[in-house]
mmCIF file of all heavy atoms in Angstrom:
data_model
loop_
_atom_site.group_PDB
_atom_site.id
_atom_site.type_symbol
_atom_site.label_atom_id
_atom_site.label_comp_id
_atom_site.label_asym_id
_atom_site.label_seq_id
_atom_site.Cartn_x
_atom_site.Cartn_y
_atom_site.Cartn_z
ATOM 1 N N GLN A 725 50.227 110.518 10.085
ATOM 2 C CA GLN A 725 48.843 110.818 10.461
ATOM 3 C C GLN A 725 48.435 110.071 11.740
ATOM 4 O O GLN A 725 47.289 110.141 12.157
ATOM 5 C CB GLN A 725 47.897 110.422 9.322
ATOM 6 C CG GLN A 725 48.216 111.093 7.984
ATOM 7 C CD GLN A 725 47.378 110.529 6.852
ATOM 8 O OE1 GLN A 725 46.185 110.243 7.028
ATOM 9 N NE2 GLN A 725 47.980 110.347 5.694
ATOM 10 N N LEU A 726 49.390 109.367 12.336
ATOM 11 C CA LEU A 726 49.093 108.571 13.528
ATOM 12 C C LEU A 726 50.129 108.884 14.616
ATOM 13 O O LEU A 726 50.948 108.047 14.977
ATOM 14 C CB LEU A 726 49.121 107.078 13.182
ATOM 15 C CG LEU A 726 48.507 106.101 14.188
ATOM 16 C CD1 LEU A 726 47.011 106.323 14.333
ATOM 17 C CD2 LEU A 726 48.801 104.666 13.775
ATOM 18 N N PRO A 727 50.105 110.087 15.170
ATOM 19 C CA PRO A 727 51.083 110.454 16.204
ATOM 20 C C PRO A 727 50.798 109.746 17.521
ATOM 21 O O PRO A 727 49.692 109.273 17.757
ATOM 22 C CB PRO A 727 50.897 111.967 16.331
ATOM 23 C CG PRO A 727 49.470 112.193 15.942
ATOM 24 C CD PRO A 727 49.166 111.181 14.870
ATOM 25 N N LYS A 728 51.835 109.672 18.364
ATOM 26 C CA LYS A 728 51.747 109.078 19.701
ATOM 27 C C LYS A 728 51.227 107.644 19.654
ATOM 28 O O LYS A 728 50.394 107.229 20.457
ATOM 29 C CB LYS A 728 50.862 109.941 20.605
ATOM 30 C CG LYS A 728 51.417 111.340 20.848
ATOM 31 C CD LYS A 728 50.528 112.132 21.777
ATOM 32 C CE LYS A 728 51.106 113.525 22.024
ATOM 33 N NZ LYS A 728 50.273 114.336 22.937
ATOM 34 N N HIS A 729 51.741 106.898 18.687
ATOM 35 C CA HIS A 729 51.400 105.487 18.549
ATOM 36 C C HIS A 729 52.668 104.664 18.345
ATOM 37 O O HIS A 729 53.728 105.205 18.001
ATOM 38 C CB HIS A 729 50.445 105.254 17.378
ATOM 39 C CG HIS A 729 49.005 105.463 17.724
ATOM 40 N ND1 HIS A 729 48.476 106.696 17.994
ATOM 41 C CD2 HIS A 729 47.970 104.569 17.851
ATOM 42 C CE1 HIS A 729 47.184 106.587 18.271
ATOM 43 N NE2 HIS A 729 46.850 105.305 18.194
ATOM 44 N N LEU A 730 52.531 103.364 18.551
ATOM 45 C CA LEU A 730 53.570 102.400 18.226
ATOM 46 C C LEU A 730 53.078 101.579 17.038
ATOM 47 O O LEU A 730 51.879 101.305 16.928
ATOM 48 C CB LEU A 730 53.850 101.474 19.408
ATOM 49 C CG LEU A 730 54.196 102.153 20.737
ATOM 50 C CD1 LEU A 730 54.291 101.104 21.848
ATOM 51 C CD2 LEU A 730 55.498 102.927 20.640
ATOM 52 N N ALA A 731 53.990 101.193 16.167
ATOM 53 C CA ALA A 731 53.588 100.459 14.965
ATOM 54 C C ALA A 731 54.637 99.434 14.582
ATOM 55 O O ALA A 731 55.813 99.545 14.952
ATOM 56 C CB ALA A 731 53.365 101.433 13.810
ATOM 57 N N GLU A 732 54.178 98.420 13.856
ATOM 58 C CA GLU A 732 55.115 97.505 13.193
ATOM 59 C C GLU A 732 54.994 97.739 11.698
ATOM 60 O O GLU A 732 53.899 97.992 11.176
ATOM 61 C CB GLU A 732 54.820 96.044 13.538
ATOM 62 C CG GLU A 732 53.556 95.484 12.944
ATOM 63 C CD GLU A 732 53.446 93.970 13.054
ATOM 64 O OE1 GLU A 732 54.441 93.312 13.383
ATOM 65 O OE2 GLU A 732 52.330 93.454 12.799
ATOM 66 N N VAL A 733 56.118 97.691 11.011
ATOM 67 C CA VAL A 733 56.147 97.927 9.571
ATOM 68 C C VAL A 733 57.004 96.852 8.909
ATOM 69 O O VAL A 733 58.133 96.604 9.334
ATOM 70 C CB VAL A 733 56.711 99.320 9.227
ATOM 71 C CG1 VAL A 733 56.739 99.525 7.708
ATOM 72 C CG2 VAL A 733 55.880 100.417 9.885
ATOM 73 N N ALA A 734 56.449 96.200 7.884
ATOM 74 C CA ALA A 734 57.207 95.242 7.081
ATOM 75 C C ALA A 734 57.857 95.989 5.929
ATOM 76 O O ALA A 734 57.167 96.631 5.129
ATOM 77 C CB ALA A 734 56.288 94.148 6.558
ATOM 78 N N ILE A 735 59.167 95.929 5.857
ATOM 79 C CA ILE A 735 59.923 96.576 4.789
ATOM 80 C C ILE A 735 60.403 95.509 3.810
ATOM 81 O O ILE A 735 61.081 94.555 4.210
ATOM 82 C CB ILE A 735 61.149 97.328 5.344
ATOM 83 C CG1 ILE A 735 60.730 98.369 6.383
ATOM 84 C CG2 ILE A 735 61.948 97.959 4.211
ATOM 85 C CD1 ILE A 735 59.935 99.517 5.825
ATOM 86 N N THR A 736 60.037 95.637 2.546
ATOM 87 C CA THR A 736 60.571 94.783 1.499
ATOM 88 C C THR A 736 61.786 95.475 0.899
ATOM 89 O O THR A 736 61.696 96.627 0.461
ATOM 90 C CB THR A 736 59.539 94.519 0.396
ATOM 91 O OG1 THR A 736 58.367 93.908 0.975
ATOM 92 C CG2 THR A 736 60.100 93.586 -0.670
#
Side-chain angles (χ1 to χ4, degrees):
Q725 303 172 39
L726 195 65
K728 297 182 179 180
H729 275 70
L730 306 174
E732 70 168 348
V733 179
I735 303 293
T736 302

